[in-house]
């Protein structure tokens, strides 16, 4: 049995660990927190996941909450006009359902499942000196520790990282008691609301500890009115402030949420980080090498809701590379190749996400405007969240956009 | 609320407990706190020969009950590594992890930092 160590019990580390157990690898996961601590801790994400990623979970019977979680059947777009009303308001349909299961539920459950299925779990906040000694004991060490301090082992790749500072101030609340969405009361959908110069408000239907909920999520442009969380308000004040900002900038959403309440006392989150792509192989003082995965190596802004999807795709891609390696050594060249294979999936996501952080160019405004009248455009945009490589052909390229518009009109 | 496209509800529920039922389970498992004591129930010289040097040192020292903190300090091995080595030995049934009490007087995180700091100084 080949011995593999995974640092970090998140989407990437646990999905890979659980899927390796099916193939009789000896897998140890090191987690900074126990399942109780994860379940009782703060929310971590809005974790909307689309079909391809959800299918990876189904493939390994990890879709334990599929029946309880609201099925997301579409994605709506609202764009504020100059007078505070909506210049655009449409919804597109997803070919396949999306879902958001609170990572507190999922990661705690998967961690326990991993132990049940014979994986070893060691609770420890891993340091580089731990890793330095541990690489000797394993044939492969993967660092799936998200955006924590261990990322320092992996150098930033400037060729793939256009930004050097956070592009949005993030703020999240999980709430109960939002009414049905008036635009389409019979359908659950993610809503993407944008106000030029201010930022975005996403609303994601999800499943949390206390049942189905809604997750309003601000992406505030730095220095703008939604960038106001540095005083770290307590939960009640956090949600009040979000509501007040909704009333001012997203009044159509405020109506839905004015009497909604937080799901629990740990249901708020604020922060921000710089989007970055790193070199995948970390070298320790002893000469041992470790391979980074998911957010450790590709951390995009959550504006396109792709990080968990990427983490799932990364785990699936690394699994294939590990299985195909058979008994051969997991040397640095194999590590670099393994990452490049994943990067072929993450690269289009990264380019699209980085583009979405900029004010929309004219061809994008034309597409969004035409989508108001044309269902085919709406659906193509929405299904791109599951297959971001498609955006290259029409959405990210002004010439392609024009050709597409002539074709569909 | 939603239909269940590609799941198998009947087989699934028997194999996997939903999150609501699993709460509290891991607490009964080895937590391997800094003050957790371990010992070797039946020393086996043949087994000892199969161990890597660091695991061997742990195995030898644990012939008399010893805490993770003491193991880390006397072997000058970082706590995380001690936890992994002890976890492996325990999985093989080679060491016994003494149950830890529940009323702690001190903060584990602080203890760990002190310990890792000590190891770094002496390393
Ligand atoms: C506000 C916000 C909203 C988001 N919304 C979405 C969305 O809608 N859709 C989407 O797809 N993505 C979204 N994302 C991104 C997504 O949450 C992440 O990309 C994803 O969770 C990354 O998975 P991961 O496994 O790489 O890391 P993580 O999920 O961060 O897991 C890493 C784990 O490692 C542990 N760890 C860290 N350091 C150590 C250490 N030293 N030792 C041991 N353990 C350690 C952590 O405790 C954690 O459990 C969002 C992110 C944010 C911040």
């Amino acid at each position: 049995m080949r011995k593999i160590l995974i640092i970090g019990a998140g989407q990437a580390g646990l999905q890979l660990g659980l899927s390796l157990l099916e193939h009789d690898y000896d897998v140890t996961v090191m987690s900074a927190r126990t399942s109780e601590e994860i379940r009782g801790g703060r929310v971590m994400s809005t974790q909307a996941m689309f079909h391809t990623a959800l299918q990876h979970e189904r493939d390994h019977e990890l879709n334990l909450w599929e029946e309880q979680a609201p099925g997301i059947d579409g994605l709506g777009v609202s764009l504020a006009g100059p007078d505070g009303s909506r210049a655009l308001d449409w919804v597109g349909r997803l070919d396949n359902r999306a879902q958001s299961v609170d990572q507190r539920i999922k990661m705690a459950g998967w961690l326990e499942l991993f132990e049940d299925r014979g994986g070893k779990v060691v609770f420890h906040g891993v340091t580089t000196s731990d890793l330095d000694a541990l690489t000797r004991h394993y044939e492969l060490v993967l660092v799936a520790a998200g955006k924590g301090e261990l990322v320092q082992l992996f150098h930033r790749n400037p060729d793939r990282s256009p930004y050097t500072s956070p592009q949005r101030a993030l703020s999240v609340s999980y709430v109960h008691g939002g009414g049905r969405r008036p635009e389409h009361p019979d359908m659950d959908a993610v809503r993407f609301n944008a106000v030029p110069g201010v930022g975005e408000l996403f609303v994601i239907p999800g499943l949390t500890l206390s049942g189905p909920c809604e997750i309003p999520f601000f992406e505030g442009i730095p220095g703008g009115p939604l960038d106001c969380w540095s005083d770290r308000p307590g939960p009640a004040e956090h949600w009040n402030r979000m509501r007040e900002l909704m009333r001012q900038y997203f009044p159509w959403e405020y109506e839905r949420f004015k009497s909604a309440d937080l799901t629990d006392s740990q249901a708020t989150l604020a922060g921000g980080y710089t989007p970055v792509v790193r070199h995948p192989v970390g070298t320790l003082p002893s000469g041992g090498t470790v391979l980074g995965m998911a957010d450790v190596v590709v951390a995009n802004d959550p504006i396109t809701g792709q990080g968990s999807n990427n983490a799932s795709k990364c785990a699936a891609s690394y699994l294939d590379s590990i299985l195909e390696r058979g008994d051969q050594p997991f040397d640095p060249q194999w590590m670099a190749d393994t990452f490049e294979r994943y990067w072929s999936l993450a690269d289009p996501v990264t380019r699209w996400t980085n583009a979405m952080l900029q004010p929309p160019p004219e061809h994008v405004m034309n597409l969004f405007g035409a989508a108001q009248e044309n269902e085919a455009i709406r659906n193509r945009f929405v299904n791109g969240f599951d297959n971001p490589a498609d955006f290259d052909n029409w959405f990210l390229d002004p010439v392609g956009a024009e050709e597409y518009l002539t074709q569909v009109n | 609320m939603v239909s269940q496209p590609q799941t198998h509800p009947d087989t699934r529920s028997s194999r996997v407990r939903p999150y609501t039922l699993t709460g509290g389970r891991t607490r009964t498992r080895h937590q391997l706190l800094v003050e957790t004591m371990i010992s070797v129930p039946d020393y086996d010289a043949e087994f000892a020969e199969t161990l890597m040097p660091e695991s061997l040192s742990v195995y030898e020292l644990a012939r008399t009950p010893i805490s993770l903190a003491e193991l880390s300090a006397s072997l000058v091995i970082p706590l995380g590594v001690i936890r992994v080595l002890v976890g492996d030995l325990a999985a093989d049934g080679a060491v016994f992890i003494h149950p830890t009490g529940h009323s702690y007087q001190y903060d584990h995180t602080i203890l760990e930092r002190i310990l890792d700091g000590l190891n770094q100084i002496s390393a």
Side-chain angles (χ1 to χ4, degrees), chain A residues 7-14 30-33 38 44-50 100 103 107 122 124-127 144-150 170-172 204 217-219 269 273 293-296 298-302 304-311:
Chain A
I7 314 299
Q11 177 75 38
L14 284 173
M30 295 183 78
S31 169
R33 294 187 295 166
I38 293 170
M44 295 170 267
S45 178
T46 65
Q47 71 268 314
M49 292 179 69
F50 297 88
S100 164
Q103 288 187 341
M107 300 316 150
V122 174
H124 184 78
V126 179
T127 62
K147 296 179 276 284
E149 284 167 31
L150 288 180
L170 313 176
S171 163
V172 174
I204 297 136
F217 166 27
F218 279 138
E219 287 255 337
L269 177 71
Y273 58 90
M293 66 184 302
D295 266 16
V296 168
V298 181
N300 291 323
D301 188 276
T304 50
Q306 294 292 311
S308 302
N309 292 275
N310 271 348

Side-chain angles (χ1 to χ4, degrees), chain A residues 101-343:
Chain A
V101 176
D102 188 338
Q103 288 187 341
R104 294 180 296 181
I105 297 178
K106 192 202 271 187
M107 300 316 150
W110 280 6
L111 193 54
E112 289 165 1
L113 187 65
F114 178 77
E115 285 195 285
D116 280 353
R117 291 186 182 174
K120 291 180 205 157
V121 178
V122 174
F123 296 109
H124 184 78
V126 179
T127 62
T128 48
S129 51
D130 292 325
L131 277 185
D132 197 35
L134 281 170
T135 50
R136 262 200 312 286
H137 293 265
Y138 290 88
E139 290 173 78
L140 173 62
V141 176
L142 294 141
V143 181
K147 296 179 276 284
E149 284 167 31
L150 288 180
V151 295
Q152 287 161 20
L153 282 167
F154 306 89
H155 299 297
R156 175 174 180 272
N157 182 340
D159 299 337
R160 291 173 174 175
S161 312
Y163 298 114
T164 51
S165 63
Q167 299 300 298
R168 291 291 188 275
L170 313 176
S171 163
V172 174
S173 288
Y174 284 43
V175 301
H176 288 310
R180 295 300 301 170
R181 183 167 286 284
E183 298 92 336
H184 44 79
D186 299 328
M187 168 177 157
D188 277 319
V190 169
R191 178 61 58 154
F192 174 95
N193 302 284
V195 178
V198 172
E200 298 80 17
L201 166 61
F202 285 84
V203 182
I204 297 136
L207 176 73
T208 188
L209 299 161
S210 42
C213 67
E214 296 275 345
I215 315 175
F217 166 27
F218 279 138
E219 287 255 337
I221 292 174
L226 305 181
D227 178 6
C228 58
W229 310 100
S230 53
D231 61 332
R232 296 177 178 273
E237 165 60 15
H238 185 113
W239 175 231
N240 280 339
R241 199 179 293 176
M242 279 187 78
R243 262 188 302 200
E244 186 50 34
L245 290 162
M246 272 189 211
R247 198 178 61 76
Q248 240 178 306
Y249 298 100
F250 305 89
W252 58 92
E253 292 291 347
Y254 174 74
E255 283 308 311
R256 251 191 107 200
F257 288 108
K258 58 185 176 192
S259 50
D261 292 312
L262 289 176
T263 58
D264 60 89
S265 63
Q266 303 271 34
T268 56
L269 177 71
Y273 58 90
T274 305
V276 62
V277 177
R278 296 177 187 278
H279 291 287
V281 183
T283 305
L284 290 143
S286 64
T289 47
V290 293
L291 172 61
M293 66 184 302
D295 266 16
V296 168
V297 279
V298 181
N300 291 323
D301 188 276
I303 192 159
T304 50
Q306 294 292 311
S308 302
N309 292 275
N310 271 348
S312 173
K313 292 173 188 175
C314 184
S317 170
Y318 280 22
L319 175 68
D320 289 342
S321 294
I322 291 170
L323 296 182
E324 286 165 22
R325 191 64 174 166
D327 292 329
Q328 287 172 267
F330 299 117
D331 50 36
Q333 185 58 51
W334 173 86
M335 291 181 178
D337 294 344
T338 294
F339 173 73
E340 285 309 313
R341 181 178 181 177
Y342 162 59
W343 177 248

